Amino acid sequence: MSLSTNAQAGKFAIGEAVENWTGDARFLEYTNAADPIGSGIISPIPAKEFGPELYHAGETRIVTLDLSRELKTDYLATSPSLLAQFMRINAGDSIQTEPNATSELYYIITGAGHTEVNGETIDWKQGDFVTLPSGSNSIHTAKEDTTIYYIVDTPLLDYLGVKATEARFKPTVYTAEMAKKHLEEVANAPDAHLKNRISILLNNEKFDQTLTITHVLWAMLGIVPVGSNQAPHSHKSVALDFVAYAAPGTYTLVGDQIDPKTNEIIDPIRIDWVTGKAFVTPPGLWHSHHNESDEAAYIIPIQDAGLQTYLRTLDIQFTHYDEA
């Protein structure tokens, strides 16, 4: 017995059903297609601000800092790789999370409580950082009114079309006391005034090459002392910044060019710091921090720089101001 079809190269045929496998194929001239960022074909990342009024009162809920419209994605995203959210959990209430993510990071803005995750219980309080790996099915319960800054790398997995299946690290707590202690040591060092940033990086010992908090996420706790002007720097990783504390007169300047004589940013935009505020610093832009208030300010940038460092693409660059 023989079977006859009308099959042609590049097509799949069974009887009358024909699938054209070449239908989505395109060919582009190199110089017109090699730089979709520079040409503006791919959407830019905005320097967006999200105020504390989004979560400081009201019912228990998760507030998503969604820029999917600006990023042209069909899934929630604050940056191409990360999704930032605010949690508000009123005393006695709980929120459950089970994201498709390789890394979850929680910064406890206010309050105290515990997380039950995969049969274990983790206690946390104001100022603590908590990281959870993939496969975490968690219930977060507040014993007093609680607010949390919550970051996951779900957009990265959504873009790749994959499911996180392997936990690369164990649940880890970075206590407020230890973070404060190490930051004070750095801030009180004799050469602190010479540093571009007075900060500590949170690191999980599992990631001894990237020196980051997870294999994807990077987290910093930094201080901007009274009267200081921290010179511009830049990197290819988007920063999802959170203002842990700031008095009026503290701000960030952001721009794409540096004056070669003064090392100051040319025609910057200004982002004023407010305690509890989050803002997005786009990739590749120069940004400097300034404190003209009479109180020290604290900033927590969270980025996908663990991944960027592993890929050798972070490209962090520093400038400095000449001393008068």
Side-chain angles (χ1 to χ4, degrees), residues 13 48 64 66 86 120 125 144 173 193 200 214 220 232 270 272 277 287-289 297 309 313:
K48 186 76 172 180
T64 301
D66 181 31
F86 288 125
E120 300 180 301
K125 64 186 181 312
E144 57 189 70
V173 178
H193 68 289
I200 57 170
T214 81
M220 185 192 92
R270 172 168 165 157
D272 286 295
K277 180 183 194 176
H287 44 287
S288 58
H289 303 320
T309 300
T313 57

Side-chain angles (χ1 to χ4, degrees), residues 120-165:
E120 300 180 301
T121 299
I122 300 170
D123 293 317
W124 39 256
K125 64 186 181 312
Q126 182 174 349
D128 287 352
F129 296 81
V130 179
T131 55
L132 300 180
S134 63
S136 294
N137 185 341
S138 311
I139 298 176
H140 316 282
T141 302
K143 67 178 182 182
E144 57 189 70
D145 289 351
T146 293
T147 57
I148 299 172
Y149 189 48
Y150 175 43
I151 307 288
V152 292
D153 60 357
T154 300
L156 175 61
L157 277 66
D158 287 338
Y159 176 72
L160 296 174
V162 298
K163 176 81 173 174
T165 58

Side-chain angles (χ1 to χ4, degrees), residues 16 22 115 188 219 271 274 303 324:
E16 297 301 319
T22 65
T115 293
N188 293 328
I271 299 173
V274 175
Q303 306 169 215

Side-chain angles (χ1 to χ4, degrees), residues 67-85:
L67 296 179
S68 58
R69 181 175 62 84
E70 291 87 343
L71 299 174
K72 298 182 180 179
T73 66
D74 57 5
Y75 44 82
L76 298 174
T78 315
S79 78
S81 294
L82 304 180
L83 177 63
Q85 298 160 94

Side-chain angles (χ1 to χ4, degrees), residues 54-309:
L54 291 173
Y55 65 91
H56 79 292
E59 63 185 4
T60 294
R61 65 194 185 280
I62 294 179
V63 179
T64 301
L65 311 188
D66 181 31
L67 296 179
S68 58
R69 181 175 62 84
E70 291 87 343
L71 299 174
K72 298 182 180 179
T73 66
D74 57 5
Y75 44 82
L76 298 174
T78 315
S79 78
S81 294
L82 304 180
L83 177 63
Q85 298 160 94
F86 288 125
M87 283 184 175
R88 178 173 182 84
I89 314 175
N90 291 328
D93 287 352
S94 299
I95 284 179
Q96 183 171 2
T97 57
E98 191 180 5
N100 178 29
T102 78
S103 307
E104 301 180 55
L105 190 152
Y106 301 77
Y107 172 70
I108 314 304
I109 305 169
T110 61
H114 68 271
T115 293
E116 297 174 26
V117 52
N118 300 342
E120 300 180 301
T121 299
I122 300 170
D123 293 317
W124 39 256
K125 64 186 181 312
Q126 182 174 349
D128 287 352
F129 296 81
V130 179
T131 55
L132 300 180
S134 63
S136 294
N137 185 341
S138 311
I139 298 176
H140 316 282
T141 302
K143 67 178 182 182
E144 57 189 70
D145 289 351
T146 293
T147 57
I148 299 172
Y149 189 48
Y150 175 43
I151 307 288
V152 292
D153 60 357
T154 300
L156 175 61
L157 277 66
D158 287 338
Y159 176 72
L160 296 174
V162 298
K163 176 81 173 174
T165 58
E166 180 182 344
R168 293 289 310 282
F169 59 95
K170 295 179 180 179
T172 307
V173 178
Y174 302 78
T175 67
E177 294 83 4
M178 291 301 295
K180 180 181 178 181
K181 174 179 178 293
H182 287 290
L183 181 58
E184 286 178 348
E185 290 174 355
V186 172
N188 293 328
D191 62 347
H193 68 289
L194 301 176
K195 297 182 182 296
N196 183 283
R197 295 291 187 270
I198 303 174
S199 310
I200 57 170
L201 293 178
L202 282 63
N203 172 229
N204 187 310
E205 67 177 8
K206 297 289 185 183
F207 309 113
D208 56 358
Q209 285 199 75
T210 62
L211 305 180
T212 49
I213 196 167
T214 81
H215 52 309
V216 171
L217 297 181
W218 181 100
M220 185 192 92
L221 174 61
I223 182 173
V224 184
V226 174
S228 66
N229 294 292
Q230 293 185 342
H233 79 184
S234 72
H235 39 73
K236 295 301 188 287
S237 178
V238 181
L240 306 183
D241 296 291
F242 179 77
V243 181
Y245 181 80
T250 309
Y251 57 92
T252 291
L253 298 179
V254 181
D256 60 0
Q257 296 183 65
I258 291 289
D259 186 309
K261 293 183 179 180
T262 65
N263 279 333
E264 294 182 347
I265 300 171
I266 299 172
D267 296 326
I269 63 170
R270 172 168 165 157
I271 299 173
D272 286 295
W273 290 16
V274 175
T275 299
K277 180 183 194 176
F279 62 92
V280 177
T281 301
L285 297 188
W286 296 96
H287 44 287
S288 58
H289 303 320
H290 308 266
N291 188 349
E292 297 172 0
S293 77
D294 57 1
E295 297 182 70
Y298 296 85
I299 188 76
I300 300 171
I302 299 170
Q303 306 169 215
D304 63 354
L307 176 62
Q308 296 277 0
T309 300

